[in-house]
Every structure is written in C-alpha cells, then in structure tokens.
Amino acid sequence: MTQQPTTETGANTSYVPVPVKRRGISWARIGRTAWFVAVPVVIALIIGAIALLIGGQQPLEIYGMLVQEAFGDGARINATLTAATPLIFTGLAAAIAFRGGVFNVGVEGSFAFAGLAAAVVGARVGGMPPVLAITACCVAGILAGMLVALVPALLRTWLKVDEVVSTLMFNFIVTGVIAWLVQSFFLAPGQANSSTEYVAESAELPPLMPPGQLSAGFLIAIVLVAFYAVWVKRSQLGFEFDAVGGAPRFSSAQGLRVRTVLMTAMLASGAIGGLGGAVHALGVVHRFSVGFSANFGFTGIAIALLARFNPVGVVVGAIAFGALAAAGATVQLFINIPIQLIDILQGTVMMLAVAKFAIPRLRRRLKQSVNGTEPIA
Amino acid sequence: MIDSIINLTLLLAVPLVLAALGGAIHRRAGVVNIGLEGQMLVGAFVGILASAGTGSWFVGVLAGGAAGAVAGLIMSLVITRLSANEIIVGLGFNIVVLGIVGFVLRTLFGVSGTLRFPDQPRIPRIDIPGIQDIPVLGAILSGKDVLFWACIVLIPVLVWLFANTRWGIRTRATGVAEPAAASLGIRTLGLRDTAGTLAGLLAGLGGVALALGVSGLFNENMIAGRGYVALAAFYFGRSKPLPTALACLLFSFFDSLQIRLQTSGGISADLIQTLPYIAVVAVLAWTGFTGLRKRSRMAV
C-alpha cells in the first residue's frame, strides 16, 4: 500500500458501512460501559487501600476525606476544576488520536513544548490588548504542539513507522530540547530554579471566580469538547476517523482517505495538547518552569482509554483525576499520606483500562449454552 | 582521561546492557517492553533493602533480580492473559511502580527520595593483577564487577539460545507470527510470559548494578530514563544481543563523555542526552524507508 488506492474499479460496488440507528436507550451498552469503567477503578482503589493499610491508615476514612476535599465547597470545586482543565485537553488530544487509530503517546511533549512557546510569547506581548495577546500565545502553543507531533506523523503516514515508539522517543527529545532552550535563551534572571520570565499581565487568562485559580481556560476546554462531540458524530472526516480507527485495511480498500485521517489525527492531537499547554501556562503557572507538566499527557491517555474516546467521558474522567490530584495535594498537608498514592491509583487504572476482563465472555458462553447452541471452540 | 572515560563508559553500560538484553528477549517474543524502567527501579530498591538487611551484596543481587522477575511476570500476565495493549500497560506499570516505591519510602522509611544505609555492602570489583596497570587494556578488563562479566557471558549465550534451542526458536516464532505459531500448538502466551519474566529478571539485575555497583544508595529517580534508553538500544540493535549491547555501549559513552566534559562547556548536556532517542527515530525511519522500497519493488 504505497499509495492511496483509487477505487475506480468500474463496478459500482463501493459500500460504506452505515451505523444502524437503534431507538431508545441501550441498557446493555450502558451496562457494558459501567463494567468496563468500574473494574479498573475498583481494582485501583483496592490496591490503593492496601498501600494505605501498609502505611497504617484507614483507607475508607482517607477516601472519604479525599472526596470531601475535592468537592466539599465552592473553593474546593474550583481547585478541582482547575486541576481538571489541563487533563481535559490532554484527554481529548489522546482520544482524537486513538479514534483515528494512532496511539499518540507524545501529548506530554506537545503539552510541555507548547507551554514553553506560550510562556515565551506571553512575556513579549505586554503592549497588546488582552484578546490579541492571548490569541497570539495560544497560536504559538498550538503550532508548537503540532511541531512536536509532525515528525512522527510524517513517519507514520508515509513510511509506516510505528508511531507509539517514535512519539514516546519524541517526549524525551523534547524534554532535552526544552531544557536546553530554557537554559541557553529564556532563563529569567535572578531565579533559583530554571524557569522563564512571567508572562505579561495582558496575556494572563482571566480567572472565572476571582479568589480561585479557575481560569477562562476551562471554558475553552469545554467548548473544545463540545466541538469534538459534534464533529465526531456529524462530519465526514469524523466518520472516516471511526472507520479508519476500527478497520484501517478495509477503509483503505473502500477508498477512505486513510492518510488524511492519520495525518489529521496526529496533528490535531498535537494541536489540542499544545493548546492545553498554552492554557496551562497562561492560566495557572504564568510562566514555564521545570516540572511544568505533572504527567498530564500520560494521565490524559488513561482518561481517554477509560472514557473510550467519548467526549462526556473525557470530561468526567478529567474531573475525577483532577479531584484526585487537587485533594491529594491538600490532604497531604495535614495527614501523613504521601502524594504517591495518586500515582498508584492512576497507574493501576491506566494498566487495567486497556485490559479485557474475561467475565463478559463467560456470560456469553453461558447464554449460548442456554440457547442450546454450543460455542464453536 | 581516556582510561577514566573507558572505565566510566563500561561501568554505566552494565545496567543498560542487562536491561536492554531483557527487553530484546521480550521483543523477540513479540512484546515491546516499556516497563523496563519500572522493573529496574524495583530491582534497585529490593537489591538495596536486601543487601543492607543481610549485609551481603550477593543476597542483594539475587533478591533484586527475583523482584524484577516477579514485576516482569505481573506486567506480562496483564498483557498476555487480559490481552491489554503492551505500550499502555508498560507506561501505567512505570507510574504504579514509581508510586509504590515512593509511597513505601515515605511511609515505612520516613525519607523523601533518597535511601542510604550506613554500612551498605557494594558489589566487589575484580582487579586482574597483571593487566590492571596496562593503560587501555587495564581500564577495559580490570576493576569490573561480577555483573559486568555476567553481561559478557550473557551475550553469546543468548545468541546461542536463540539460534539453537527449542525455547529460542519457539520464542522467535511467537514473535514473528503469533497466530501461525499458536496454530502449530506452541503455547505462545506461556512463552511470552517466560520472556517477560526474563526481561524483568535482567532489568532487575540492571537496577541492582546501578544501585549496588555504581552509586551505593537508592534514590527514587535514580533510573532517570535508563529503562527508556535500554528500549532505544534494543530498537537500535534490532533485538540482536551483540548489536544491542554495542548500542548500549555507544549510549553510555555519550553519557560518560557528558559527565567528564561537563566543566569544559561546549555542546549542552541536555542535547547530548537526547542522542539515544534521536538515534532510535532515525533507525525507525530508515527501517520504514527500506521496507517501503522493498514493498514497491515487489509490487513492480
């Protein structure tokens, strides 16, 4: 398959799969989804509980406290949503790539590089009106994010190079390049740790509820999710994404634009991750410093997988992980539980979110034997 | 200067070679092992604890290797028996391991980050009497520890195992064409679990080499991406033992060059550290390019 095949075969046989529309709520599907989400989460909570017991804590008490700290009152919800904002972006970035059938694990790199780009631009747009300054920073971030995804995207589309490994490698390349750029060019004078200058005030994203940190970036994220939800269901390219993601060879045989889909998926993923980095730089950190991205890119992968690329699921997942991060940080202050508990929960969810648990298969086999048809072994 | 760079290169290569050979075995069985980083961390942690607890470096080596093997088996079971994507499982596994190790460090030992015991046993280095004074040869052969020599032995043994034993051939068959191998009655999942366990064992030993051979203490960030460099190495060496080991040697040479040249400036250390990863992308691109040419030639 060295070139995109043309489907002019003479016979009018091209068949495009049309999803069968069922009316009403599909309870079976909801049940499957719930099972799919519940198993990894419950196992992660159990492993976290074991860790807490080893540390001499009451797991249920701690979990209750985490929920209380995450959603207890307005200020806490504000903190939770602030922590969720970058995760919505990275989750969406991962979801859009996975939907098109490419595993982009380089969102982390896009996010960080875009953060640097936005911070650097933001420090130099002091004279501009806020709207223009913020737009300039976001565009810089989007371009930076796409730049990180560009080489793996080209390699994947034209040379069929496995994008998982190349994007993973690009994370490290980007990390090194960022450290070099910050050290050599953008270091703020008189700072102990290596970070850039603060962005100009006009480039800061305005807070939504002033004492809290929640910025207008959250609104950008929600708008983006809504756009994604409509685009996936209602656009031609969105349909092609699903088809190519589900069955790439079949899609290319049907004349769907496989290369366009792969390229768009990678670049859009980089761009969304980049926008997330820019928003994080302008809305929360106000500069770029070491440890800018707290594994947001990888958490985003876990969220996208748990949500099965569903837009609402991405938002819910991002809020859940955001709550965990925000509450974990505050609980750590007055009880002696290390923040690493969050890593344990998150990593376990990530490991198991892609696992297929055998019980549905067992049930199907039972149903078949009830119907009297033996499964063909 | 040359002697010290050679010495440091070989010293830093041992953990890399061990982990990369483990990754190469797993890759030959058809699984890309992203979890080497976590398995090295487990090995280093348990190795330090066991050796400090018993006062014997040998127990530390055994325990670290065993812990790595268990970690590798757990990860492999999730991949094979729950048919989960190996990349995501590996990434998640690394996060979990980092979390568990950090959690245990803080709750049970009450330290944040670095764990150091007062009379920590180290792996003894073997000086070879006649050779150690010869300039370059002495730096290459003398003053190395057991794990270094284990690496030297392991490379030809692995080549032989893959070429000549039933296990090696079946493992390779599983990696090349899993459905075909399974259709011939080979227990592919079991072979993959074995390969995953071996990968964990070797990565764990790599962690021990880092903890007991190089640094003599434990830090939760001590692996510092070496698992991913090992991944880069076996990609670079196309999962063949000798080229993989040579790739490790190349990468650890960059590393030691950067440590030794740190004071003299020049090219940024941050950029030098990206070289292994750039090398992998270049190799992947080249493989893709030649594959493309081959395919189009067949089409013509």
Side-chain angles (χ1 to χ4, degrees):
Chain A
M1 279 183 286
T2 54
Q3 58 191 30
Q4 228 159 352
T6 50
T7 49
E8 277 313 311
T9 51
N12 187 13
T13 54
S14 74
Y15 160 74
V16 177
V18 176
V20 181
K21 282 240 170 73
R22 289 204 187 83
R23 285 178 193 284
I25 304 165
S26 161
W27 291 108
R29 199 166 142 230
I30 290 176
R32 238 184 357 256
T33 312
W35 167 260
F36 177 80
V37 173
V39 173
V41 170
V42 167
I43 293 179
L45 287 178
I46 291 172
I47 290 179
I50 293 171
L52 283 172
L53 282 176
I54 291 172
Q57 305 279 356
Q58 284 294 321
L60 286 179
E61 204 177 299
I62 302 285
Y63 285 151
M65 201 179 286
L66 282 175
V67 172
Q68 177 68 25
E69 279 303 314
F71 303 106
D73 58 41
R76 286 168 182 159
I77 292 176
N78 188 306
T80 294
L81 292 182
T82 307
T85 305
L87 297 177
I88 298 179
F89 282 105
T90 53
L92 201 61
I96 202 167
F98 292 172
R99 207 174 250 277
V102 282
F103 267 88
N104 181 11
V105 292
V107 178
E108 180 81 11
S110 292
F111 188 91
F113 197 52
L116 176 64
V120 166
V121 172
R124 283 158 181 72
V125 291
M128 289 192 204
V131 176
L132 219 61
I134 290 171
T135 313
C137 294
C138 287
V139 168
I142 289 172
L143 289 179
M146 284 168 78
L147 186 68
V148 172
L150 181 64
V151 176
L154 287 173
L155 289 178
R156 174 70 184 86
T157 322
W158 295 101
L159 298 180
K160 293 187 180 299
V161 171
D162 184 19
E163 76 283 358
V164 184
V165 179
S166 64
T167 48
L168 186 65
M169 294 294 140
F170 257 80
N171 281 337
F172 297 105
I173 298 176
V174 166
T175 309
V177 169
I178 287 176
W180 171 66
L181 285 174
V182 171
Q183 285 296 336
S184 321
F185 302 109
F186 303 124
L187 203 59
Q191 291 283 349
N193 55 347
S194 49
S195 53
T196 66
E197 287 173 47
Y198 282 99
V199 298
E201 211 163 299
S202 60
E204 287 180 9
L205 283 169
L208 291 180
M209 283 165 277
Q213 264 198 315
L214 186 65
S215 74
F218 183 69
L219 297 182
I220 301 179
I222 294 299
V223 169
L224 205 61
V225 169
F227 179 77
Y228 167 77
V230 174
W231 175 84
V232 152
K233 289 284 174 215
R234 292 278 174 265
S235 77
Q236 186 194 351
L237 195 60
F239 173 75
E240 281 176 307
F241 260 61
D242 271 354
V244 172
R249 290 189 63 195
F250 178 74
S251 308
S252 100
Q254 292 301 327
L256 296 185
R257 299 168 291 174
V258 174
R259 280 200 175 142
T260 316
V261 167
L262 294 181
M263 201 71 191
T264 320
M266 284 295 287
L267 290 183
S269 175
I272 295 173
L275 185 58
V279 163
H280 194 57
L282 301 180
V284 180
V285 191
H286 300 311
R287 61 171 173 171
F288 184 89
S289 59
V290 170
F292 175 78
S293 173
N295 268 345
F296 291 134
F298 295 120
T299 313
I301 295 174
I303 292 169
L305 289 169
L306 262 191
R308 286 256 155 138
F309 327 140
N310 178 297
V312 179
V314 167
V315 175
V316 172
I319 290 175
F321 276 104
L324 214 52
T330 48
V331 165
Q332 191 192 21
L333 293 179
F334 45 83
I335 300 182
N336 185 25
I337 52 161
I339 191 86
Q340 275 72 18
L341 175 68
I342 311 298
D343 284 345
I344 298 178
L345 296 178
Q346 181 194 325
T348 314
V349 167
M350 194 159 158
M351 266 179 93
L352 299 178
V354 283
K356 294 178 186 64
F357 293 94
I359 291 174
R361 199 174 65 200
L362 268 181
R363 221 179 50 211
R364 193 165 64 232
R365 206 173 281 170
L366 279 179
K367 203 189 285 174
Q368 274 167 337
S369 57
V370 166
N371 293 346
T373 51
E374 283 298 313
I376 302 159
Chain B
M1 183 68 182
I2 292 175
D3 274 11
S4 91
I5 284 185
I6 291 176
N7 213 344
L8 191 62
T9 301
L10 293 177
L11 189 67
L12 291 176
V14 173
L16 275 186
V17 170
L18 285 169
L21 288 179
I25 296 174
H26 212 179
R27 181 85 184 88
R28 276 293 178 89
V31 181
V32 178
N33 190 331
I34 305 279
L36 290 174
E37 180 94 1
Q39 290 152 11
M40 285 178 88
L41 191 68
V42 170
F45 189 50
V46 175
I48 283 275
L49 289 185
S51 63
T54 59
S56 150
W57 63 269
F58 188 67
V59 175
V61 171
L62 288 185
V70 171
L73 178 63
I74 291 173
M75 195 184 95
S76 181
L77 284 178
V78 175
I79 295 173
T80 54
R81 310 294 158 158
L82 300 178
S83 53
N85 179 301
E86 66 225 42
I87 307 286
I88 308 295
V89 170
L91 288 172
F93 179 81
N94 287 341
I95 297 175
V96 172
V97 168
L98 201 61
I100 290 178
V101 168
F103 192 90
V104 170
L105 269 183
R106 280 166 184 76
T107 50
L108 295 191
F109 297 95
V111 296
S112 62
T114 304
L115 187 65
R116 184 201 296 270
F117 292 103
D119 46 353
Q120 174 69 50
R122 304 277 294 265
I123 303 177
R125 303 206 171 141
I126 306 162
D127 290 322
I128 303 172
I131 300 175
Q132 63 176 322
D133 300 324
I134 307 169
V136 175
L137 202 64
I140 293 175
L141 291 180
S142 182
K144 300 290 173 287
D145 58 25
V146 180
L147 289 175
F148 173 82
W149 293 108
C151 287
I152 302 286
V153 175
L154 194 59
I155 294 165
V157 167
L158 269 185
V159 171
W160 180 80
L161 281 176
F162 274 130
N164 294 317
T165 62
R166 173 197 289 217
W167 171 80
I169 290 166
R170 289 188 171 179
T171 300
R172 272 161 56 211
T174 306
V176 173
E178 201 261 335
S183 77
L184 291 173
I186 294 176
R187 289 179 53 242
T188 54
L189 295 186
L191 280 171
R192 283 193 168 162
D193 286 338
T194 311
T197 312
L198 283 176
L201 170 72
L202 289 177
L205 286 178
V208 172
L210 205 59
L212 294 184
V214 179
S215 64
L217 54 84
F218 178 81
N219 182 289
E220 60 178 345
N221 296 319
M222 73 187 300
I223 309 297
R226 283 193 175 80
Y228 293 106
V229 176
L231 177 83
F234 72 71
Y235 258 92
F236 198 68
R238 301 210 178 167
S239 308
K240 296 193 173 98
L242 186 61
T244 301
L246 291 178
C248 291
L249 216 53
L250 183 70
F251 295 155
S252 69
F253 174 68
F254 291 149
D255 211 13
S256 60
L257 205 61
Q258 166 230 319
I259 292 173
R260 282 286 176 264
L261 298 182
Q262 227 159 29
T263 46
S264 62
I267 310 166
S268 156
D270 297 315
L271 286 185
I272 292 180
Q273 274 169 356
T274 63
L275 282 176
Y277 310 115
I278 292 176
V280 170
V281 176
V283 167
L284 286 175
W286 177 249
T287 317
F289 182 67
T290 49
L292 195 71
R293 276 213 331 238
K294 214 176 284 171
R295 273 197 302 274
S296 56
R297 216 180 297 141
M298 281 196 297
V300 169

